[in-house]
Amino acid sequence: MPHQYETDGAAIYAQSFATIRAEADLSRFTAEEEQIAVRMIHALGLVELAASIRLSPGFVSAARTALEQGAAILCDTRMVSEGVTRARLPAANPVICTLQDERVPGIAATLGTTRSAAALELWKSSLQGALVAIGNAPTALFHLLNLLEDPACPRPAAIIGCPVGFVGAAESKAALWADRPTPCCIVEGRLGGSAVTVAAINAVASRAE
Amino acid sequence: MPHQYETDGAAIYAQSFATIRAEADLSRFTAEEEQIAVRMIHALGLVELAASIRLSPGFVSAARTALEQGAAILCDTRMVSEGVTRARLPAANPVICTLQDERVPGIAATLGTTRSAAALELWKSSLQGALVAIGNAPTALFHLLNLLEDPACPRPAAIIGCPVGFVGAAESKAALWADRPTPCCIVEGRLGGSAVTVAAINAVASRAE
C-alpha cells in the first residue's frame, strides 16, 4: 500500500509554523523577530532552539534594509550559499562564497589559519554594507571579528553568526555578541549550522511565510 | 585585542570528536557505526542526537561497498550535494541532485506532489546500486518508499533518510525503518537535516577522521 502524506508545500509550511508557534516560547521576540526565530526553529526541527536565539536590537531592520538596497550576502560555506532561496531576495542580491577560490589554501598557509578563515580575506571588496552569514566555521567568525577591530576595515550592515559544534562555536558567538560590531543574530552555545543560518537569511529576505 | 583561538583544522576535529566520545552514549553502536554517529553528532552540535540515530544491520558495509564500487550519491537538495567532501569519496563518485532540473515543476504538477518528491522521478536511471541521501524533504522520502513498492523499480544499495521538521519528518523516517527496502540510516523524530545527512555520507565515504 502506498504511503499517504501531505503533498501540498504551502500546507506543509503553514502546519509546521503553526506547530512551532504552539510549542515554542517566543514571547521575548518582537513581531518581526518572531518570524526569524520561527524559521530558524523550523530548519532545525527543535522548538527548544528558541531559548538560544539572540537578535540584537535593530538586527532585522538593518539586515532587511541592506538586502532591499541590493547588499551582497557573504557566506562561509556553499551549504549556506546554496540554501538561500533566490526567489525571496528583494534585489537579486549577489550570494557569495569564496571558500573554493583557488587562492584560499595559499592565504591560509600564509596566515597560519583555517581555509574557512582565510576565505574571508577575499570578502573585503564586497564587505561594506553586506549581510554576512557564518553558519559553519567558528574560525571564520573569529577572523571576521579580528578584521573588524581595524576601524579601516569595510563594515557589513549586519552579521548572522551561527557556527556549530564543540570547539570555538560557543566562544566565537559569545565574542560576536560582546563585540557587536554591527547588529547581529546568533544562536548561543553549540547549536547552529548552515540550515539555521540559511533560515535566518531567508526570513530577513522576505516577510512572506 | 584580537581574539585568540585554535586555528589548526586537524586539532579542531580531534578535540571535537574527543568531546563527543566523552559526552555521548555511543555504547550501542559497533565500532564502524560509532564513526558514523560521531560525525552526525558533530554536524549538529548535539550529543543527545546519539539516542535518535538508527543504523540498520549492514548499513555501513552496504553504503561503503557501494561507494568503493563507484556508486552515485543521489541527494534531495543542493545543501546536501554541495556538502559532500569530494576528497573523501573513494571513486570520484557522481553526486547528483535533480531538484533544480527544469522538468521538475511540470512533473510535480502532473503528479500533484512537491518538487522535492517530483525530482526523484529523474533519479531512475541512476538509482540502481546508488547511495540515496534525503536530508530535507519528508515528501521525497515518502515518494521514494512508494516507488520502491514496485519490484521493478531500480534498487539503491543503501538509504540515508534524515528529513527534518514538523510535518511528515518523523513519520517518513518511521516508514523507512519499517519498510526497510535497503539497509538504511535514520534519525528518529523531528531532528535531521542536510548537515547530519552530509556527515553520514562523509563518514561512510572514508574511515579517516
Side-chain angles (χ1 to χ4, degrees):
Chain A
M1 283 283 292
H3 298 280
Q4 301 295 318
Y5 54 96
E6 179 61 70
T7 56
D8 179 64
I12 292 169
Y13 265 104
Q15 192 179 332
S16 298
F17 290 178
T19 300
I20 293 165
R21 291 188 164 106
E23 294 188 21
D25 179 3
L26 303 166
S27 56
R28 66 190 172 80
F29 298 111
T30 67
E32 64 178 6
E33 288 174 348
E34 190 249 23
Q35 282 197 307
I36 316 298
V38 165
R39 275 199 175 255
M40 294 172 76
I41 292 166
H42 179 247
L44 206 58
L46 186 71
V47 293
E48 292 80 4
L49 182 71
S52 305
I53 297 171
R54 294 280 175 274
L55 298 146
S56 78
F59 165 76
V60 180
S61 61
R64 190 161 274 165
T65 301
L67 291 182
E68 286 167 356
Q69 293 175 349
I73 303 171
L74 301 178
C75 309
D76 66 332
T77 69
R78 285 183 58 82
M79 284 185 72
V80 174
S81 60
E82 287 294 322
V84 175
T85 303
R86 273 35 179 196
R88 294 180 68 88
L89 297 177
N93 307 70
V95 183
I96 297 169
C97 174
T98 54
L99 183 58
Q100 272 76 23
D101 188 286
E102 60 185 16
R103 293 166 288 178
V104 167
I107 297 169
T110 301
L111 298 181
T113 191
T114 63
R115 288 186 296 117
S116 296
L120 273 63
E121 294 291 319
L122 302 175
W123 284 7
K124 288 182 180 171
S125 65
S126 315
L127 194 57
Q128 183 65 41
L131 175 60
V132 166
I134 296 179
N136 185 58
T139 57
L141 182 51
F142 273 130
H143 193 71
L144 176 69
L145 293 176
N146 286 349
L147 290 174
L148 291 172
E149 289 194 357
D150 178 358
C153 180
R155 213 130 289 257
I159 300 170
I160 298 167
C162 297
V164 59
F166 298 89
V167 176
E171 296 83 352
S172 66
K173 292 179 286 190
L176 169 59
W177 194 255
D179 288 9
R180 211 85 61 83
T182 73
C184 64
C185 163
I186 68 166
V187 170
E188 290 183 318
R190 292 172 171 178
L191 293 173
S194 49
V196 167
T197 304
V198 165
I201 299 169
N202 286 337
V204 295
S206 169
R207 289 174 178 80
E209 302 215 318
Chain B
M1 285 282 292
H3 298 281
Q4 302 294 318
Y5 54 97
E6 179 61 71
T7 56
D8 179 64
I12 293 169
Y13 265 104
Q15 192 180 328
S16 298
F17 290 178
T19 300
I20 293 165
R21 291 189 164 105
E23 294 187 20
D25 179 2
L26 303 166
S27 55
R28 67 190 171 79
F29 297 112
T30 68
E32 65 178 7
E33 287 174 350
E34 191 250 23
Q35 282 198 306
I36 316 299
V38 165
R39 276 199 174 255
M40 293 172 75
I41 292 166
H42 178 247
L44 206 58
L46 187 70
V47 293
E48 293 79 5
L49 182 71
S52 304
I53 297 170
R54 295 279 175 276
L55 299 146
S56 78
F59 164 76
V60 181
S61 61
R64 191 161 272 165
T65 301
L67 292 182
E68 287 167 356
Q69 293 176 350
I73 303 172
L74 301 177
C75 308
D76 65 333
T77 70
R78 285 184 58 82
M79 285 186 71
V80 174
S81 60
E82 288 294 320
V84 175
T85 303
R86 275 28 180 203
R88 295 180 67 88
L89 297 177
N93 307 70
V95 183
I96 297 168
C97 173
T98 54
L99 183 57
Q100 273 76 23
D101 189 286
E102 62 185 13
R103 292 167 287 178
V104 167
I107 297 169
T110 302
L111 297 181
T113 190
T114 64
R115 288 186 298 117
S116 296
L120 274 62
E121 294 291 319
L122 302 175
W123 284 7
K124 287 183 181 171
S125 65
S126 316
L127 194 56
Q128 183 66 39
L131 174 59
V132 166
I134 296 179
N136 187 60
T139 56
L141 182 51
F142 273 130
H143 193 70
L144 176 68
L145 294 176
N146 285 349
L147 289 175
L148 290 172
E149 290 194 356
D150 177 357
C153 179
R155 211 129 293 251
I159 300 169
I160 298 168
C162 297
V164 60
F166 299 88
V167 176
E171 296 83 352
S172 65
K173 294 178 286 190
L176 169 59
W177 193 256
D179 287 10
R180 211 85 61 83
T182 73
C184 64
C185 163
I186 68 166
V187 170
E188 290 183 319
R190 292 171 171 179
L191 293 174
S194 49
V196 167
T197 304
V198 165
I201 299 169
N202 285 337
V204 295
S206 168
R207 289 172 178 82
E209 301 215 319

